[in-house]
């Protein structure tokens, strides 16, 4: 049956079924043990490249809305060449390519400085990277931080606009609940993280044109990295359950869901967290070879396809009957709603970046990279949608190369299109897998009987940490304590003095 159904229509159908949320699929995927073509011939080391590729994709995002980036890696050890292939849901801008070249050159310089400080007696068989003083190459690290922050500033503004005020309200409520009792443990770490974060952001948005002095950027650097260090301790508490428990406690018997504390922290510290991963990349002696290679970047052109869905209520009803293998009374209502939702027009559907990237890697381009296998792990700036997750799974069962991303956020987007390589068995695999998920959803909702044999039933480690020096961290905390005291000694006073300023200077984004 599946080979008779257009997978695009099935994806639109899933978009309708899950219009109010996620489909419940796992958000994270375990790193597969059979990844190919890593930086070195050592799986444990290659696993450390997962967050690096995701980081490079993350720092490639500059627009506040509708930008997703995927990155693949290829190596030629014999000629010491490395290639990054980059894709978006549209064409890749020259400014992004230039940004990555610039950051890569600075990471090479940082790697050289670390190598110069590395002790000669370090044993290459040791699993952990040797310890190097945190103030080594400090000016260069601040320069890298500044360049990345400025490039991603508009995206950072959106995160601030969406999460900061609610996070500060949460902290004020925590202070009230703990009145007369000193904060301890991860609650004290949370306090330090939020205060440092607010002070850093106030500096970032101090000038409308973002013309900070070198000293101000230095302060933004160590305040942001302090917030990152403290927030990671919060997020590590009981593997994130500490955040959930605190949010549930403060929510009490109120209507509505608890505040998404974990999500807010992850979003607001994402930029310094990814920058720290790059510092770890430059620090690693095992991964140093990649930064000694000559790097080139290949930008993939965006793809789109014209898709025609069923053009009437009757056509949708016939499609639902074919998908279910039987008619049902509910199909008349669903067909009417589907036609009202999608209409009879043609849809120009983008090919999402991870799928377009895989197609590019599997296509011959008559150049020296055609026969160089790409690393199986693809870095993405955002978790894959469910349609891309299923398409990659369908591709992986074909028997050829296999590709993986860090997981799916469980949402079905429309418009969405398969790459042009999606013909034959790949198209049939995709249709069959989406159809199975659709029928499973119908079973859960009691629209069809359970089929015989059907079943309806965390972050990747980045290795050594490379944060700021103890002196910078203590300076950030001292400045935070002083700022709170200057505002009357309470978080409510501190937030009143600072958050109002931020929201007056950070434009509100929609979407």
């Amino acid at each position: 049956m599946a080979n008779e159904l257009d997978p695009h229509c099935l994806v639109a159908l899933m978009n309708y079924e899950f219009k109010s949320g996620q489909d419940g699929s796992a958000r994270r995927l375990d790193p597969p043990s059979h990844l190919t073509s890593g930086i070195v011939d050592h799986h444990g080391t290659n696993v450390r490249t997962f967050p690096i590729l995701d980081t490079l994709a993350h720092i490639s995002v500059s627009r506040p809305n509708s930008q997703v980036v995927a990155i693949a890696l290829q190596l030629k050890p014999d000629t010491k060449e490395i290639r990054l292939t980059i894709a978006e849901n549209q064409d890749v801008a020259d400014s992004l390519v230039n940004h990555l070249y610039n950051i890569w050159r600075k990471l090479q310089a940082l790697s050289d400085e670390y190598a110069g400080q590395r002790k000669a007696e370090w044993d290459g068989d040791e699993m952990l990277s040797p310890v190097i003083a945190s103030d080594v190459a400090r000016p260069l690290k601040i320069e890298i931080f500044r360049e990345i922050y400025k490039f991603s500033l508009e995206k950072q503004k959106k995160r601030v606009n969406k999460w900061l005020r609610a996070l500060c309200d949460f902290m004020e409520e925590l202070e009230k609940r703990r009145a007369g009792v000193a904060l301890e443990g991860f609650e004290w770490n949370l306090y330090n993280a939020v205060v440092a974060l607010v002070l850093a952001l106030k500096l970032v948005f101090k000038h409308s044109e973002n013309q900070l002095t070198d000293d101000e950027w230095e302060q933004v650097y160590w305040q942001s990295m302090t917030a990152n260090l403290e927030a990671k301790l919060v997020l590590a508490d009981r593997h994130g359950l500490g955040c959930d428990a605190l949010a549930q406690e403060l929510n009490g018997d109120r209507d509505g869901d608890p505040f998404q504390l974990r999500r807010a922290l992850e979003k607001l510290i994402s930029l310094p967290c990814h920058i720290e991963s790059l510092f770890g990349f430059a620090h690693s002696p095992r991964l140093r070879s990649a930064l000694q290679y000559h790097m080139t970047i290949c930008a993939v052109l965006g793809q789109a396809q014209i898709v025609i869905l069923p053009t009437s209520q009757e056509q949708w009803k016939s499609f639902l009957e074919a998908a279910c293998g039987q008619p049902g009374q509910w199909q008349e209502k669903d067909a009417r709603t589907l036609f009202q939702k999608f209409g009879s027009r043609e849809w120009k559907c983008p090919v999402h970046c991870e799928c377009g990237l895989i197609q590019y890697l599997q296509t011959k381009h008559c150049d020296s990279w055609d026969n160089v296998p790409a690393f199986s792990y693809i870095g993405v700036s955002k978790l894959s949608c469910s349609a891309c997750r299923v398409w990659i799974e369908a591709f992986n069962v074909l028997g050829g190369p296999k590709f993986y991303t860090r997981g799916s956020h469980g949402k079905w987007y429309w418009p969405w299109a398969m790459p042009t390589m999606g013909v034959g068995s790949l198209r049939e695999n995709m249709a069959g897998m989406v159809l199975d998920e659709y029928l499973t959803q119908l079973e859960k909702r009691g629209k069809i009987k359970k089929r015989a044999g059907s079943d309806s039933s965390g972050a990747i480690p980045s290795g050594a940490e490379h944060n700021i020096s103890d002196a910078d961290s203590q300076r950030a905390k001292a400045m935070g304590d002083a700022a709170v005291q200057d505002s009357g000694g309470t978080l409510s006073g501190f937030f009143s003095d600072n958050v109002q300023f931020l929201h007056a200077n950070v434009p509100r984004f929609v979407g």
Side-chain angles (χ1 to χ4, degrees):
M1 180 199 307
N3 59 3
E4 301 173 359
L5 299 174
D6 186 342
H8 296 104
C9 297
L10 289 167
V11 170
L13 195 56
M14 293 296 278
N15 171 261
Y16 163 72
E17 284 293 325
F18 290 99
K19 52 184 173 293
S20 60
Q22 301 167 325
D23 62 11
S25 57
R27 287 184 63 84
R28 305 282 175 174
L29 300 181
D30 293 329
S33 60
H34 50 281
L35 288 172
T36 58
S37 305
I39 289 179
V40 294
D41 187 19
H42 184 269
H43 176 72
T45 299
N46 288 331
V47 166
R48 292 185 59 193
T49 64
F50 297 176
I52 294 167
L53 288 172
D54 287 327
T55 284
L56 290 173
H58 184 92
I59 68 167
S60 297
V61 176
S62 59
R63 298 194 301 274
N65 297 310
S66 305
Q67 185 181 15
V68 187
V69 177
I71 295 183
L73 180 149
Q74 292 167 282
L75 288 176
K76 292 181 184 177
D78 294 342
T79 57
K80 297 188 180 302
E81 294 178 82
I82 185 171
R83 183 169 83 159
L84 299 180
T85 304
I86 308 174
E88 293 190 41
N89 294 354
Q90 55 190 40
D91 291 346
V92 177
D94 290 341
S95 59
L96 168 53
V97 174
N98 293 334
H99 173 60
L100 287 178
Y101 273 128
N102 179 43
I103 296 303
W104 190 267
R105 285 191 295 267
K106 286 180 168 58
L107 289 175
Q108 289 176 315
L110 182 59
S111 177
D112 289 342
E113 291 212 30
Y114 278 137
Q117 293 288 330
R118 194 167 290 130
K119 294 181 179 179
E121 63 266 22
W122 177 70
D123 183 355
D125 292 330
E126 295 178 14
M127 286 304 297
L128 297 178
S129 299
V131 175
I132 295 178
S134 55
D135 60 349
V136 170
R138 188 170 181 271
L140 181 54
K141 288 192 286 188
I142 295 174
E143 186 178 343
I144 293 171
F145 174 90
R146 181 181 64 211
E147 292 300 315
I148 292 174
Y149 210 115
K150 289 172 68 175
F151 184 82
S152 299
L153 183 60
E154 295 305 310
K155 184 66 176 180
Q156 183 71 344
K157 287 179 180 178
K158 182 179 179 181
R159 298 185 188 105
V160 170
N161 185 271
K162 182 174 181 178
W163 293 104
L164 185 64
R165 186 182 293 276
L167 176 59
C168 292
D169 290 344
F170 181 87
M171 293 302 298
E172 289 190 47
E173 180 65 23
L174 175 62
E175 185 178 53
K176 292 177 183 176
R177 295 290 185 95
R178 303 293 187 263
V181 179
L183 297 179
E184 296 180 346
F186 93 108
E187 291 182 2
W188 176 242
N189 298 128
L190 177 61
Y191 167 92
N192 287 328
V194 176
V195 170
L197 183 65
V198 168
L199 292 177
L201 292 171
K202 183 178 179 181
L203 263 180
V204 170
F205 303 118
K206 175 180 177 182
H207 305 295
S208 59
E209 299 299 323
N210 194 39
Q211 296 174 342
L212 275 66
T213 66
D214 290 344
D215 288 343
E216 287 172 328
W217 271 117
E218 180 179 351
Q219 186 176 331
V220 173
Y221 163 76
W222 45 259
Q223 291 284 13
S224 297
M225 299 306 276
T226 295
N228 175 52
L229 176 64
E230 297 288 334
K232 287 200 301 183
L233 294 174
V234 175
L235 294 169
D237 185 81
R238 287 169 281 174
H239 302 287
L241 294 180
C243 285
D244 298 341
L246 182 60
Q248 186 65 54
E249 177 195 342
L250 267 60
N251 194 58
D253 297 328
R254 298 174 185 170
D255 293 333
D257 296 328
F259 175 62
Q260 293 179 279
L261 176 59
R262 187 182 349 180
R263 181 80 168 159
L265 288 175
E266 288 173 343
K267 287 295 185 179
L268 289 169
I269 68 163
S270 60
L271 210 50
C273 184
H274 284 290
I275 292 171
E276 186 201 0
S277 290
L278 291 181
F279 292 164
F281 176 31
H283 176 271
S284 170
R286 292 184 181 276
L287 299 177
R288 174 164 162 74
S289 60
L291 285 167
Q292 293 178 300
Y293 287 4
H294 173 68
M295 195 265 283
T296 56
I297 296 176
C298 174
V300 178
L301 294 176
Q303 289 186 49
Q305 289 196 48
I306 300 299
V307 175
I308 301 176
L309 299 176
T311 57
S312 68
Q313 180 176 330
E314 284 304 311
Q315 286 187 12
W316 270 115
K317 186 171 183 293
S318 297
F319 185 86
L320 293 174
E321 291 176 352
C324 299
Q326 57 184 354
Q329 293 184 347
W330 57 271
Q331 292 166 351
E332 185 75 36
K333 178 181 177 182
D334 277 17
R336 180 170 59 255
T337 306
L338 284 162
F339 180 62
Q340 291 172 348
K341 176 179 176 65
F342 296 110
S344 57
R345 66 184 178 90
E346 294 182 343
W347 289 87
K348 184 177 181 181
C349 299
V351 174
H352 286 190
C353 54
E354 52 268 71
C355 300
L357 182 57
I358 291 172
Q359 173 175 342
Y360 184 89
L361 295 172
Q362 293 304 109
T363 303
K364 297 297 183 182
H365 302 281
C366 299
D367 61 29
S368 61
W369 292 98
D370 277 351
N371 297 316
V372 179
F375 193 24
S376 300
Y377 187 85
I378 290 176
V380 288
S381 62
K382 182 179 182 180
L383 291 171
S384 299
C385 72
S386 286
C388 288
R389 166 184 60 82
V390 175
W391 186 88
I392 293 173
E393 291 172 355
F395 175 87
N396 286 346
V397 300
L398 294 178
K402 293 178 172 58
F403 293 96
Y404 307 88
T405 67
R406 61 191 169 104
S408 169
H409 52 57
K411 296 179 181 178
W412 291 85
Y413 291 147
W414 185 262
W416 180 94
M418 295 176 63
T420 53
M421 69 183 292
V423 295
S425 56
L426 177 53
R427 185 183 180 90
E428 293 176 11
N429 289 346
M430 173 72 180
M433 290 179 175
V434 179
L435 176 60
D436 184 68
E437 296 203 17
Y438 173 63
L439 295 177
T440 298
Q441 177 66 8
L442 295 184
E443 291 173 348
K444 289 179 178 179
R445 297 188 178 185
K447 289 184 175 181
I448 63 173
K449 294 182 180 179
K450 185 175 177 64
R451 294 163 290 156
S454 68
D455 182 9
S456 300
S457 60
I460 299 170
S462 58
E465 295 185 356
H466 302 272
N467 225 296
I468 56 176
S469 66
D470 289 342
D472 280 340
S473 179
Q474 291 302 319
R475 181 162 46 160
K477 293 174 185 176
M479 183 173 288
D481 290 342
V484 172
Q485 291 304 314
D486 288 345
S487 299
T490 65
L491 284 177
S492 59
F494 172 77
F495 293 147
S496 177
D497 289 347
N498 293 282
V499 178
Q500 294 297 332
F501 169 85
L502 281 172
H503 280 269
N505 288 275
V506 179
R508 182 168 297 279
F509 292 100
V510 178

